[in-house]
Amino acid sequence: MEYVYAALVLHSAGKEITEEGVKAILEAAGIEVNEARVKALVSALEDVNIDEAIEKASFAPVTAPAVSAPAVEATEEKKEEEAEEEEEEKKEEEAIEGLGALFG
């Protein structure tokens, strides 16, 4: 992902996206550069209109994932089970403390 960000930084600055430019940004960020990845990225972006790609991406509909009722019920049941387990553990601890008073 950092390779794409480096390309976007160059684009935003109005610079040509080159292997040297991407590599310089990555190195400045302290990232170990993989030359093959840089070369592949620059090659892949040669025929891409980045402004157009960003514009299309910014207008993509945002939808929340559908959560089914059974999934919500399962989550609620899990929370209830966890609460019951915690209550049982607390009762056991209290019982152990009570026994300690008998022998201590």
Side-chain angles (χ1 to χ4, degrees), residues 16-55:
E16 183 180 352
I17 299 173
T18 63
E19 291 178 31
E20 295 80 25
V22 171
K23 184 177 174 182
I25 290 174
L26 293 172
E27 288 174 346
I31 297 169
E32 188 175 325
V33 178
N34 180 324
E35 298 284 339
R37 288 181 72 185
V38 171
K39 190 173 281 203
L41 175 70
V42 172
S43 176
L45 291 176
E46 282 180 357
D47 297 325
V48 175
N49 182 335
I50 295 176
D51 289 322
E52 184 178 309
I54 292 172
E55 185 177 317

Side-chain angles (χ1 to χ4, degrees), residues 28-97:
I31 297 169
E32 188 175 325
V33 178
N34 180 324
E35 298 284 339
R37 288 181 72 185
V38 171
K39 190 173 281 203
L41 175 70
V42 172
S43 176
L45 291 176
E46 282 180 357
D47 297 325
V48 175
N49 182 335
I50 295 176
D51 289 322
E52 184 178 309
I54 292 172
E55 185 177 317
K56 285 182 181 179
S58 67
F59 289 112
V62 177
T63 58
V67 178
S68 64
V72 171
E73 290 173 8
T75 302
E76 290 174 2
E77 288 175 10
K78 186 176 181 179
K79 287 181 183 178
E80 288 174 8
E81 289 175 6
E82 289 174 356
E84 288 174 6
E85 288 176 10
E86 288 177 13
E87 188 174 321
E88 286 179 31
E89 288 176 8
K90 185 177 179 181
K91 286 180 182 178
E92 287 177 7
E93 288 175 4
E94 289 173 356
I96 291 172
E97 287 175 8

